[in-house]
Amino acid sequence: MEMIATVLTSVFGGLLALLLYQRAYFTLWWKDLLYYFKLRQHKKRLQARLQLGIVTYLDCFLQQTRKTPSKPFIIFEDQVLTYQDVDRRSNRFANVLRRETQVTPGALVALWMFNHPDFICVWLGLCKLGCQAAFLNTNIKPKTLAHCMHSCGAQLLLVCAELLHLVEEALPDLGDGVSVCVVDHTSAAGGFVTLSDKLEQVSEAALEPPPRVDLHTDFLIIFTSGTTGLSKAVRVAHLKAISSMIFFQMCGATSQDIIYITLPLYHMSASLLGIGGCIQLGATCVLKRKFSASQFWKDCVKYNVTVILYIGELCRYLVNHPSVPEEKAHKVHLAAGSGLRSDVWKEFRHRFGKITIREGYGLTEASIGFLNYTDELFMPFELLRFDPQTYEPVRTVAGRCLRAQRGEAGILVAPLVAVSQFLGYAGDKAQSEKKLLRDVLKAGDIYFNTGDLLFLDKRGFLYFHDRVGDTFRWKGENVSTTEVSEVLGLLEFIQEANVYGVTIPGCEGRAGMAAVVLKQDHHLDGKRLHKHLVKTLPAYAWPRFLRIQNSLDVTETFKQQKTKLVQEAFNPCVIQDPLYFLQAPQEDFIPLTASLYHSIVSGEILL
């Protein structure tokens, strides 16, 4: 008996020591294990669903409609649409489109609408016709609209009434082969087919199922600014679409949740993660036409919201907004999204109550993602060392790339394998090839270059560091410096422009700034410049600061030098060149004085 007691004591002592060691050195081990089993369970459910023939976004929606036909799916202002309501209305849109436009399966149709239940109904209607949708950013101007239509190859544009005037401006550039329909009861301009007024004339009965698809074929086109030039048409596969739908589920949301979506539906975050996530769960979505900091918590209380979808900029607006009683009276228990800075994260939790935050990272182009349950990765990745001047990966004499060390920022890349594909940009093979890195770690391998810099700390946590090259992020959108430079160069008084992003204390991302050289015998016309920006670029892409130079600094290969400009930013105490600030109320660029600079960096003037 003594021996047994000794053995048991030793075993229990060893287990206790092991537990204490685990808690001291592997504090997240249990969470890792639980999340691993959660991923395994989802994989099994997905495989079972595929065996039943449920392989597309539309299949998932129809399955959920059969399960919960009377459950509210979309709440929009005073409208409540059940899963069955959306199913039937999407059938009507499909029938009207087939009758009025003779659209055929396989056609690519551009959708240019603000957030509205009919955005979802039209989209699902296109899916039922076997068509592929291309989502257009509602901030784009006529020139960019024409570019997007040409690059993706869409011959039919479905537009809401509020954007029709921009379509009229773009008509000469769209070409004769493009048809336009208005998703409304009437049209302010003649010559356009309206759709909403014809819905009652057609059947709401289910259509014949569209042809079966391959998981790796195109499902959707979403436009992104990429790294250079105008918007690029990213091809999203069916596999990526249905994989994205598990986001809310992996964050801990359930079918009982009411999920608040204020992000624009033309973004992957709202359409695939958000609406798709609601469909996956069978949850209810409260859809907002446009984000409003003043109405946010009031809406959460009004609609009994329990889960919110965010981007970092949205959270910053909320913590900077004056306090309202509803920010403590809500029922929100989960916030899921991406791009949340650590300082905003802390203030958000401190101010708005015990809300679980699930911060993720993902890309429209490639299947790579992270979720911060403890930082579980969805797909394999590497962080590569890079040249700070060119942002190209550093290679050895043998031509292989080098991994970044822990604590060192590196370019995030993902290997292209069967479950992690990059279909490329529609109509742009050259730009598609630029996103690929070959012979990275061994001969013959291919990696997708995300264009993002991240670093891994000693505990294995990943942190976003910056964008690389010719893109920066502002107001939750990617801004192409090349596009903005080209727009500035169209003005008669600007000879050259070098556009870059600068950080501002308390702001997410980088604000636009341009170093410009004026033509000889010309002066800066701030009001003319502002008018030009309003006409040609969305507000988030406008340069907020100007730096007037005699000549632009270039590298030995004649590329514009940005590093020093970014470091000096817009501080008039450091920069001797004339500086200007976009004063929006005056619709003009005004001299940037030291006092104005301090008002901006202190947060007295909000951007």
Side-chain angles (χ1 to χ4, degrees), residues 171-338:
L171 279 178
D173 297 321
L174 290 178
D176 297 332
V178 175
S179 301
V180 179
C181 292
V182 183
V183 185
D184 208 325
H185 290 81
T186 59
S187 170
F192 296 110
V193 174
T194 54
L195 301 179
S196 302
D197 58 315
K198 300 176 178 64
L199 294 180
E200 296 302 320
Q201 303 170 13
V202 296
S203 172
E204 65 178 20
L207 284 74
E208 292 183 7
R212 304 311 296 173
V213 300
D214 184 288
L215 277 173
H216 299 294
T217 57
D218 292 356
F219 165 62
L220 179 68
I221 295 287
I222 294 181
F223 282 87
T224 177
S225 66
T227 54
T228 59
L230 292 165
S231 302
K232 296 178 182 65
V234 178
R235 298 161 56 199
V236 178
H238 285 278
L239 178 60
K240 182 175 179 66
I242 61 171
S243 299
S244 301
M245 296 174 79
I246 70 164
F247 178 65
F248 280 138
Q249 192 172 54
M250 300 310 294
C251 291
T254 71
S255 61
Q256 301 305 310
D257 280 309
I258 298 175
I259 301 174
Y260 190 37
I261 297 177
T262 64
L263 305 179
L265 290 173
Y266 58 77
H267 269 318
M268 174 184 160
S269 293
S271 54
L272 297 186
L273 304 184
I275 299 299
C278 290
I279 293 172
Q280 170 74 15
L281 293 168
T284 298
C285 167
V286 176
L287 183 65
K288 187 74 172 178
R289 187 180 299 271
K290 188 178 181 181
F291 168 73
S292 168
S294 61
Q295 290 296 315
F296 190 90
W297 295 114
K298 294 177 182 178
D299 283 345
C300 288
V301 171
K302 177 180 179 181
Y303 298 111
N304 294 312
V305 170
T306 57
V307 176
I308 61 175
L309 179 67
Y310 71 81
I311 57 173
E313 188 73 10
L314 181 153
C315 296
R316 185 181 70 84
Y317 280 129
L318 292 176
V319 298
N320 286 339
H321 192 271
S323 179
V324 293
E326 291 83 0
E327 69 185 45
K328 293 290 188 182
H330 61 80
K331 298 179 181 178
V332 176
H333 67 86
L334 174 66
S338 61

Side-chain angles (χ1 to χ4, degrees), residues 312-313 316 339-341 344 473-475 506-510:
E313 188 73 10
R316 185 181 70 84
L340 187 58
R341 274 198 347 231
V344 177
R473 198 160 179 81
W474 181 246
K475 301 295 183 183
C507 291
E508 295 283 347
R510 295 172 179 266

Side-chain angles (χ1 to χ4, degrees), residues 31-199:
K31 287 187 177 181
D32 287 340
L33 184 63
L34 290 172
Y35 204 82
Y36 170 75
F37 283 124
K38 196 173 184 179
L39 285 173
R40 287 288 297 262
Q41 288 173 356
H42 171 72
K43 184 178 179 181
K44 289 180 180 178
R45 285 194 297 266
L46 180 59
Q47 289 173 338
R49 198 166 64 183
L50 293 177
Q51 289 175 354
L52 293 173
I54 302 169
V55 298
T56 67
Y57 192 98
L58 176 61
D59 291 337
C60 295
F61 169 73
L62 293 176
Q63 182 197 39
Q64 195 58 249
T65 300
R66 289 190 293 268
K67 288 171 60 177
T68 58
S70 300
K71 183 169 183 177
F73 175 27
I74 302 294
I75 298 175
F76 181 79
E77 297 173 356
D78 294 326
Q79 299 180 51
V80 179
L81 284 80
T82 65
Y83 278 86
Q84 188 174 71
D85 291 335
V86 172
D87 181 36
R88 290 175 175 174
R89 190 168 178 83
S90 64
N91 289 339
R92 290 183 185 274
F93 269 115
N95 283 318
V96 169
L97 283 166
R98 186 160 55 184
R99 188 184 75 178
E100 297 295 327
T101 68
Q102 289 77 53
V103 67
T104 57
L108 198 151
V109 180
L111 187 56
W112 201 25
M113 296 176 63
F114 291 106
N115 283 12
H116 191 276
D118 277 349
F119 184 114
I120 300 163
C121 294
V122 170
W123 178 21
L124 291 172
L126 290 172
C127 293
K128 291 176 178 182
L129 291 173
C131 297
Q132 182 186 165
F135 294 166
L136 303 183
N137 189 321
T138 53
N139 292 299
I140 60 176
K141 301 297 182 179
K143 176 187 173 184
T144 309
L145 170 62
H147 162 79
C148 290
M149 293 294 290
H150 294 318
S151 65
C152 72
Q155 296 298 301
L156 176 60
L157 171 63
L158 307 181
V159 61
C160 62
E162 298 95 323
L163 295 170
L164 188 58
H165 67 287
L166 295 174
V167 176
E168 291 184 278
E169 288 185 45
L171 279 178
D173 297 321
L174 290 178
D176 297 332
V178 175
S179 301
V180 179
C181 292
V182 183
V183 185
D184 208 325
H185 290 81
T186 59
S187 170
F192 296 110
V193 174
T194 54
L195 301 179
S196 302
D197 58 315
K198 300 176 178 64
L199 294 180

